[in-house]
Amino acid sequence: QSGHAPNGLITHLFGPIEGRRHDAFMLGESGLTNKLERFQKPNGEPYVIYGDPAYGVTRNILAPFRGAHLTDDQQAFNSQMSKVRSSVEWGFGKIIQYFSYLDFNKNLKVLLQQVAKFYLVGALLTNCHTCLYGSLTSTYFNVDPPSQMYISQTNKSLRCDLLFTQKKFSIQMCETLLM
């Protein structure tokens, strides 16, 4: 499961989940809805994202209108938002473009390799590339990615601090990336 911002950055990445699970299950497991609830505009209105139809509509997630008898406005909304949803696929495509090894159909062996960690590193480095050079998504939405970004994630298997400044980046600390 992945979330992408109009500036081209991958803002949320969760998975993998074993077995066949519904997208709504992954949404619940990821904790994304709880994270989204913490963000609101100064006037108290929630920020919202546009999600997969399987997620349904919540306070922070919009989804396409469903049903056989949609109004013209509802059909127009679904049409416009379907174009926006394709930008998420551009993000996945960029990961595979620069890290072809991560193409699941060609190379990865789920039970023999640390697929999730490989993909996480590919996504992180793709964000680095986006900060330095932009992306199809940032161009489409006309939103520049940040020129300076600080990323820090800490858990049992990953501690990596990256600093991006003036189209250069330096890894300040990166230990046990692929344990």
Side-chain angles (χ1 to χ4, degrees), residues 58 68 94-95 143:
T58 68
K94 186 171 181 178
I95 292 172
V143 178

Side-chain angles (χ1 to χ4, degrees), residues 84-96:
V84 170
R85 278 194 67 227
S86 65
S87 67
V88 173
E89 301 305 323
W90 300 337
F92 292 132
K94 186 171 181 178
I95 292 172
I96 300 306

